[in-house]
Amino acid sequence: MIVRLLVVLAGASALAGCGPIQSTSYLIDAQVALEAARTAQANKLAPYEWTAANLYLHKAREEVGYSEFEQAVTYAAKASKFANSARDVAMKAVRKDEPNPSGANTVP
Amino acid sequence: MLAVAAASTSCVSGASLKARSEVIRADLDRARRSGAIRCAPKELATGEANLEFAAGELEQGNSVRAGQHVRDAEIATQRALQLSKDCGPKQVLVREQPKVVVRIEENDLDGDGVFDKDDACPSEAGPKENKGCPWPDRDGDGTPDKDDKCVDQPGPKENFGCPLPQGPKDSDGDGLIDQADKCPNEAGPIENLGCPVTDRDKDGINDKDDACPDQPGPIENKGCPDKDSDGDTVIDRLDGCPDKPGPAENKGCPWPDRDGDGIADKDDKCPDEPGPKEEQGCPKKYKLVVVTKEAIKIKQQIKFASGNAQIIGAISEQLLDEVGQALKDNVQIKKIRIEGHTDSDGPDDFNMKLSQRRADAVMSALIKRGVDPGRMEAVGFGETRPIASNATKAGKAENRRTEFNIVDQ
């Protein structure tokens, strides 16, 4: 019975194509990257990248809803890229604000 | 029918959206240059993302969704522009050990100190008070209208942009004002009342004062060339005798020659007696003749055969030789009259003819001696002009004579 169910699932999966699976994977990656950025306080320290990452992730989900998987993958990938960038920028900003042992500082 | 209408609407809408997208893209670029990434990062990101989403939807033919993204992008972009307007130039001073580095992040294309984003005229330098635009200057005199008291008339800055008051006019710029300039439109020296000097013959006399404007001549002769009527190289106005040639030493007059022998008195040792040059103007010494002003006098008489005109005797030949020579020596004697005279013996008519034949014989003899016949004439007077009494033998001998009288010299 279980074996039969697995076979049916595999068949259904093959019939539906690999688009949804692929896009879902990208969406999950983007979501993870975004969470990492949030942890680094990117929402405060890298607002541009943070905003872009969220918008692209939102659009990727929307495209999945319209079954535009290819477009969804593209947007999800961009969301990941922006999320990673946001995290990097935020982490750099944190390091910059920390006391500098050499005495160098930044004056606005 | 509906499908066609929808397709048409979609097509028109798609083109319109693309156009709007281009505008938004330009605005986003401007916002980014103005520092929106610092002052409006969320709006910038929203604008850029929605613009991309709109493009994607248009590719898929979803103009309705594309339109929504375009609207979102527009709103976000306008907001980004607004927020970044006052973002201001940021100068980041990075102090490194040990030196200070200044980095200016804003552009100032025209270098007027007003950054391009705040410069209403980014390619023209202008003060900050006029938003980076140059002050208007209608008359283009370099004094801006705001400081120009004569905005429509160019003038120097020292005169507050107004033209300087005009002095007396000198149209031809020759230094003489028009009122005093006889030729106000032609430059000329003051000596010529401001008129140009024209001197066609280049003799230094203005044509208007030159009696001969095309022939050079001295001012003493009113600009006309000097004449030399007598051709003695002394010009008439300096020639004491303009019609008679003479040396310059004597002011163009001939040297005086009282005795008319062709030798000037100053060079004539005998200025009152004609004489040849070789005798320095003195009469030549002849043995048998004497040259006077009136005649060539012979010391003895020419002898003829009795009753005819044949010249006889050696002395007669010598006399004729000397008379001929005297005529050659004294060129001033232009003409002599050879006169034949007889005594009163014999008939008058015979004597007249005989005297004529004898005068002709003498003339022939002189011609043979080379005397020009044009200088001589022969006249027989017979017994009509006695010089002594025919009553005596001695008187008759005196009356029988030949004379050589000068008639022209």
Side-chain angles (χ1 to χ4, degrees), chain B residues 6-73:
Chain B
S8 171
T9 309
S10 170
C11 186
V12 171
S13 175
S16 166
L17 288 172
K18 278 182 183 171
R20 283 167 67 188
S21 297
E22 288 303 315
V23 174
I24 294 166
R25 192 178 307 283
D27 285 343
L28 281 169
D29 286 343
R30 198 148 57 90
R32 187 177 269 277
R33 284 199 303 273
S34 297
I37 201 158
R38 278 195 317 277
C39 301
K42 290 177 185 173
E43 289 75 11
L44 184 65
T46 305
E48 287 177 343
N50 275 290
L51 194 62
E52 190 176 340
F53 300 156
E57 294 295 357
L58 276 174
E59 269 183 19
Q60 292 168 21
N62 300 319
S63 57
V64 176
R65 273 184 267 159
Q68 183 57 50
H69 284 303
V70 166
R71 277 190 293 279
D72 290 345

Side-chain angles (χ1 to χ4, degrees), chain B residues 128-364:
Chain B
K128 194 173 183 179
E129 305 82 62
N130 201 32
K131 297 179 180 175
C133 287
W135 293 112
D137 179 14
R138 279 217 298 273
D139 56 11
D141 60 358
T143 307
D145 291 350
K146 69 182 183 67
D147 302 324
D148 199 332
K149 285 188 175 173
C150 305
V151 291
D152 292 317
Q153 291 175 289
K157 203 167 186 174
E158 310 82 70
N159 205 35
F160 305 103
C162 286
L164 290 169
Q166 292 288 317
K169 204 175 175 189
D170 177 14
S171 302
D172 56 11
D174 60 0
L176 269 180
I177 60 169
D178 288 355
Q179 287 87 343
D181 199 330
K182 203 173 172 187
C183 305
N185 296 315
E186 293 175 285
I190 191 167
E191 307 83 56
N192 206 31
L193 301 175
C195 286
V197 176
T198 53
D199 180 12
R200 288 203 298 274
D201 56 11
K202 312 278 183 210
D203 60 0
I205 301 161
N206 295 351
D207 288 350
K208 70 179 182 63
D209 302 323
D210 198 332
C212 304
D214 294 312
Q215 293 174 289
I219 194 163
E220 296 82 2
N221 209 29
K222 294 181 179 176
C224 286
D226 279 313
K227 275 185 185 173
D228 179 16
S229 302
D230 54 12
D232 60 0
T233 71
V234 181
I235 55 174
D236 287 358
R237 66 187 170 83
L238 301 175
D239 198 333
C241 306
D243 298 322
K244 292 181 189 174
E249 304 87 66
N250 202 33
K251 296 182 179 177
C253 285
W255 293 111
D257 178 17
R258 286 204 299 277
D259 56 11
D261 59 1
I263 299 159
D265 290 352
K266 70 182 181 68
D267 302 320
D268 197 335
K269 282 193 172 173
C270 306
D272 295 312
E273 292 177 285
K277 201 172 181 180
E278 55 271 19
E279 297 295 327
Q280 293 164 316
C282 285
K284 197 167 182 177
K285 303 290 183 199
Y286 302 104
K287 279 198 284 185
L288 299 173
V289 300
V290 176
V291 180
T292 67
K293 271 187 175 181
E294 295 82 25
I296 299 172
K297 291 185 176 170
I298 50 178
K299 291 177 181 173
Q300 293 184 44
Q301 277 305 320
I302 297 167
K303 290 187 176 173
F304 297 95
S306 181
N308 64 42
Q310 187 186 354
I311 298 167
I312 55 171
I315 198 76
S316 297
E317 294 299 327
Q318 287 176 23
L319 279 166
L320 287 168
D321 287 344
E322 285 205 8
V323 169
Q325 187 60 47
L327 281 169
K328 288 177 188 172
D329 292 341
N330 295 275
V331 289
Q332 80 278 6
I333 300 172
K334 292 192 177 81
K335 197 156 204 172
I336 57 164
R337 186 169 62 235
I338 302 164
E339 297 178 4
H341 299 273
T342 64
D343 58 19
S344 57
D345 288 351
D348 295 349
D349 184 45
F350 174 80
N351 285 339
M352 186 62 79
K353 286 178 181 171
L354 180 63
S355 65
Q356 183 63 53
R357 287 204 308 272
R358 284 180 174 170
D360 290 339
V362 171
M363 188 171 156
S364 295

Side-chain angles (χ1 to χ4, degrees), chain A residues 43 46-52 55-57 59-60 62-63 66 68 71 74-75 78 82 102-108, chain B residues 32 37 41-50 52-54 56-57 59-60 62 65 69 91-97:
Chain A
N43 54 338
Y48 173 76
E49 292 82 357
W50 172 256
T51 306
L55 286 169
Y56 277 100
L57 182 59
K59 186 64 182 171
E62 190 182 311
E63 292 295 326
Y66 294 128
E68 295 288 351
Q71 199 69 24
T74 305
Y75 291 143
K78 279 203 170 182
F82 272 115
S102 64
N105 60 0
T106 304
V107 181
Chain B
R32 187 177 269 277
I37 201 158
K42 290 177 185 173
E43 289 75 11
L44 184 65
T46 305
E48 287 177 343
N50 275 290
E52 190 176 340
F53 300 156
E57 294 295 357
E59 269 183 19
Q60 292 168 21
N62 300 319
R65 273 184 267 159
H69 284 303
Q91 292 187 359
V92 178
L93 179 66
V94 179
R95 189 186 302 151
E96 289 180 359
Q97 204 141 21

Side-chain angles (χ1 to χ4, degrees), chain B residues 86-106:
Chain B
D86 297 317
C87 202
K90 297 292 179 191
Q91 292 187 359
V92 178
L93 179 66
V94 179
R95 189 186 302 151
E96 289 180 359
Q97 204 141 21
K99 62 181 178 182
V100 174
V101 176
V102 177
R103 184 159 56 96
I104 299 169
E105 292 182 343
E106 295 293 345

